[in-house]
Amino acid sequence: MPAPGELTFVAPRGAVKPPRHLADLTPAERRDAVAELGEKPFRARQLSRHYFTRLTDDPADWTDVPAAARERLAGALLPRLMTVVRHLSCDDGATRKTLWRLGDGTLVESVLMRYPDRVTMCVSSQAGCGMNCPFCATGQAGLDRNLSTAEIVHQIVDGMRALRDGEVPGGASPEGGPARLSNIVFMGMGEPLANYRRVTGAIRRLTDGDPDGAGLSQRGITVSTVGLVPAMLRFADEGFTCRLAVSLHAPDDELRDTLVPVNTRWKVREVLDAAWAYAEKSGRRISIEYALIRDINDQAWRADLLGRLLKGRGAHVNLIPLNPTPGSRWTASRPEDERAFVAGLQAHGVPVTVRDTRGQEIDGACGQLAAAERV
């Protein structure tokens, strides 16, 4: 049975279950797996340090592991999960989108974005998405399957390696040396809380300290959801200090039923109540994601209604000028309507920013690059 909030899915014909990988396992499970191979349990810590800290899964680099054991350990615990189909860059190389091919042939995307004061990586949690939001390229494609914990983690590990090796330009970190990853956003392909167990497993692998994980801060991780209320409430009980972002896109149930079909099951106020529960337990401010769509959800009265719903809650609204997908009737709001929407929220004292829309020239909306590859 799926866990609360974790949706079932049908794998595509011929899909292959991803092989077991080090990042799928807890530290204790890694020790057991190494022992089953006839090696000393401490080898698990060595492999973990190579993968999460030294960012290498090449046995040739494991000089602290006996040569006779390297290939056996690599084959059992660090199999190849995904390969790069292509990298596309813009913003003078500071934004790099990667199209990945998984072991069963399905395609997913990740984006590395380097800013003057931070580096953010947007990762996918599913191949495709089953939420069916009509303005979203991924939603139009439908759901192929959930990603494994290791397939999620590997997107970030590869991004960390790319930064270390200077593949994404933009200068050194404030402390000197190569830039470091500062933020991870689960806003790529898929609904993260519909793949609950694997996403929470990935968060733990990414934030466990050396040598068990990548040692990143939970406060630098944002998990987005369209509003799977049971999973949101469960997430609030995990003890995480990640930020939760709610993809709201409409303040009224009538419109949101159309834009975010899961709203027919959990209404706006139920979703917001679950978000406030997470905020109370985590101590983190909630982000409200709102894609501005011309003449659909950008009216002044909707800004006023949204402001009334959020007033005094400490939430922050992230307005997203829609990055239109090819052939879609949905497009970004007019500049004057965008300004009026911002003013409407500010009138209620609700903090709001308009997202910097990077990557339009490289099919920036998640799902566009994978869709183009399948054509």
Side-chain angles (χ1 to χ4, degrees), residues 212-251:
D212 296 327
L216 301 173
S217 169
Q218 286 189 14
R219 295 184 68 84
I221 296 176
T222 298
V223 177
S224 177
T225 180
V226 295
L228 305 186
V229 168
M232 294 170 69
L233 296 174
R234 183 182 177 195
F235 197 63
D237 290 332
E238 293 284 354
F240 290 141
T241 56
C242 308
R243 175 163 288 174
L244 185 67
V246 177
S247 296
L248 199 66
H249 306 310

Side-chain angles (χ1 to χ4, degrees), residues 17-280:
K17 182 180 179 181
R20 181 183 66 172
H21 187 280
L22 181 86
D24 291 314
L25 306 177
T26 66
E29 290 169 339
R30 293 173 210 166
R31 291 191 293 273
D32 290 343
V34 166
E36 289 171 4
L37 295 170
E39 296 292 334
K40 298 291 186 182
F42 73 84
R43 297 285 180 215
R45 290 174 61 86
Q46 291 177 309
L47 295 187
S48 298
R49 180 167 284 119
H50 283 301
Y51 183 71
F52 288 111
T53 303
R54 297 171 183 163
L55 308 177
T56 177
D57 54 8
D58 184 352
D61 297 330
W62 304 347
T63 56
D64 56 347
V65 177
R70 293 177 195 171
E71 292 296 337
R72 182 170 69 256
L73 288 168
L77 291 172
L78 286 164
R80 184 70 60 188
L81 296 174
M82 50 211 299
T83 56
V84 174
V85 177
R86 67 171 66 91
H87 296 300
L88 293 179
S89 298
C90 64
D91 303 313
D92 296 323
T95 299
R96 185 174 82 165
K97 187 166 191 174
T98 301
L99 178 65
W100 299 95
R101 191 180 305 279
L102 306 182
D104 60 0
T106 54
L107 300 168
V108 297
E109 303 168 18
S110 60
V111 186
L112 188 62
M113 296 164 283
R114 188 160 182 175
Y115 300 89
D117 60 341
R118 67 192 188 281
V119 181
T120 297
M121 189 158 192
C122 180
V123 299
S124 295
S125 55
Q126 296 179 309
C129 182
M131 298 298 103
N132 201 32
C133 300
F135 58 90
C136 172
T138 308
Q140 294 169 26
L143 177 65
D144 287 327
R145 66 169 174 85
N146 288 327
L147 268 61
S148 68
T149 294
E151 288 171 330
I152 297 168
V153 168
H154 191 74
Q155 296 170 66
I156 292 99
V157 169
D158 184 78
M160 294 170 67
R161 181 198 56 75
L163 289 168
R164 181 199 65 189
D165 295 347
E167 294 178 12
V168 180
S173 69
E175 298 81 14
R180 293 181 296 182
L181 188 63
S182 49
N183 298 297
I184 297 166
V185 292
F186 282 83
M187 296 181 181
M189 299 174 71
E191 160 58 47
L193 295 188
N195 189 13
Y196 188 94
R197 179 171 57 84
R198 297 167 191 87
V199 166
T200 54
I203 292 171
R204 291 192 170 89
R205 305 299 179 272
L206 294 169
T207 58
D208 282 345
D210 178 35
D212 296 327
L216 301 173
S217 169
Q218 286 189 14
R219 295 184 68 84
I221 296 176
T222 298
V223 177
S224 177
T225 180
V226 295
L228 305 186
V229 168
M232 294 170 69
L233 296 174
R234 183 182 177 195
F235 197 63
D237 290 332
E238 293 284 354
F240 290 141
T241 56
C242 308
R243 175 163 288 174
L244 185 67
V246 177
S247 296
L248 199 66
H249 306 310
D252 55 302
D253 288 322
E254 182 179 5
L255 178 59
R256 195 169 191 264
D257 283 351
T258 299
L259 293 182
V260 186
V262 75
N263 198 73
T264 60
R265 186 168 181 183
W266 296 292
K267 298 300 184 181
V268 169
R269 288 190 180 274
E270 293 177 89
V271 171
L272 291 179
D273 284 345
W276 309 145
Y278 180 81
E280 182 177 359

